[in-house]
């Protein structure tokens, strides 16, 4: 990654709060965050809760041990400002095979974003049943076109500018976009990036890539949904837009997410026209 790209985590801890760094800013307004760091932060907090459950499993057999994120849906009904943020993770269901959490992100007691995360127990011995329609990996990133968005965004550092992107099919054209990502930004410095958090950090791009017009993104998404059927592997991840529809100022889009081995899940978003 070029030396002029800011390094470090997306957030720093201040007691029970998370304080964004410049890497978490969005490109649209200096004092608001990009959706991807918000999604990564919520996935991070849920995984911390799963670790707590795993530690209790031996003392309480009814508490799950090996659970992983299978689906996360985030409602982005307010802009998330740059400031001290709190995330509360409330268990709706904690079982041996399934756990569901409701997360609320707020600032100064004002609810900004909420999410529901579904976690399922995985067992390698169970394998897969049924036909496999997984998407094969695209040409590797070293064969793609290096393409970095403007690293200073709208005159400031923003999250898209801290990612390394390589385009197989660039957004904004006639063909469905297909882009490789590499992201080195931990949520907080002391905890390495997990596979699910890496995926959460790119899932939001389904909306701008699907809805991008030449020179701009025509829609702003109001949600992010991430599905994972297996943990991602490695640093490079691809996002392939597979469908997009729009009418009356509302757009929906779906994408396949994968790594060098192929698809590991997908993401989707519903968006409002941004005039």
């Amino acid at each position: 990654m070029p030396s002029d790209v800011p390094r470090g985590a997306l957030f720093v801890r201040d007691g029970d709060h998370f304080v964004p760094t410049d890497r978490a800013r969005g490109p649209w307004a200096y004092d608001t965050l990009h959706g991807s760091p918000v999604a990564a932060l919520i996935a991070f907090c849920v995984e911390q809760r799963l670790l707590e459950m795993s530690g209790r499993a031996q003392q309480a057999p009814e508490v799950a041990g090996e659970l992983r994120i299978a689906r996360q849906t985030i409602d982005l009904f307010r802009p998330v400002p740059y400031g001290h943020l709190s995330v509360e993770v409330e268990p709706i269901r904690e079982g041996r095979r399934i756990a569901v959490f409701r997360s609320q992100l707020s600032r100064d007691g004002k609810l900004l974003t909420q999410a529901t995360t579904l976690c399922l127990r995985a067992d390698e011995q169970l394998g897969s049943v049924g036909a496999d329609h997984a998407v094969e990996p695209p040409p590797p990133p070293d064969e793609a076109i290096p393409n970095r968005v403007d690293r200073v965004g709208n005159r400031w550092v923003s999250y898209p500018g801290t990612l390394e992107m390589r385009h197989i099919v660039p957004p904004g054209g006639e063909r469905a976009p297909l882009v490789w990502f590499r992201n080195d930004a931990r949520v907080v410095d002391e905890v390495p990036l997990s596979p699910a958090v890496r995926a959460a950090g790119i899932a939001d791009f389904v909306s701008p890539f699907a809805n991008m017009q030449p020179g701009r993104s025509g829609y702003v998404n109001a949600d992010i949904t991430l599905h994972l059927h297996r943990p991602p592997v490695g640093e490079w991840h691809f996002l392939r837009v597979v469908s997009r529809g729009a009418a009356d100022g509302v757009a929906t889009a779906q994408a396949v997410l994968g790594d060098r081995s192929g698809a590991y899940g997908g993401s989707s978003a519903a968006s409002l026209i941004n005039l």
Side-chain angles (χ1 to χ4, degrees), residues 3 70-71 265:
S3 59
R71 191 263 299 156

Side-chain angles (χ1 to χ4, degrees), residues 110-132:
K110 183 177 183 179
L111 180 62
L112 304 169
T113 297
Q114 66 181 15
T116 303
T117 308
L118 171 69
C119 303
L120 300 177
R121 184 180 182 89
D123 187 336
E124 292 182 358
Q125 297 180 354
L126 296 178
S128 176
V129 176
D132 186 0

Side-chain angles (χ1 to χ4, degrees), residues 17 31 34 39 47 54 83 90 95 97 100 107 128 145 150 168 174 189 193 207 213 217 221 228 238 268 274:
H17 294 90
D31 60 350
H34 192 278
E47 287 197 331
S54 180
E90 174 191 2
R97 302 183 66 191
V100 181
R107 181 187 181 190
S128 176
I145 302 171
D150 184 356
I168 301 294
E174 294 291 329
D189 269 330
L193 274 171
S207 178
Q213 302 167 0
S217 180
N221 56 304
L228 297 172
F238 70 82
S268 62
N274 184 34

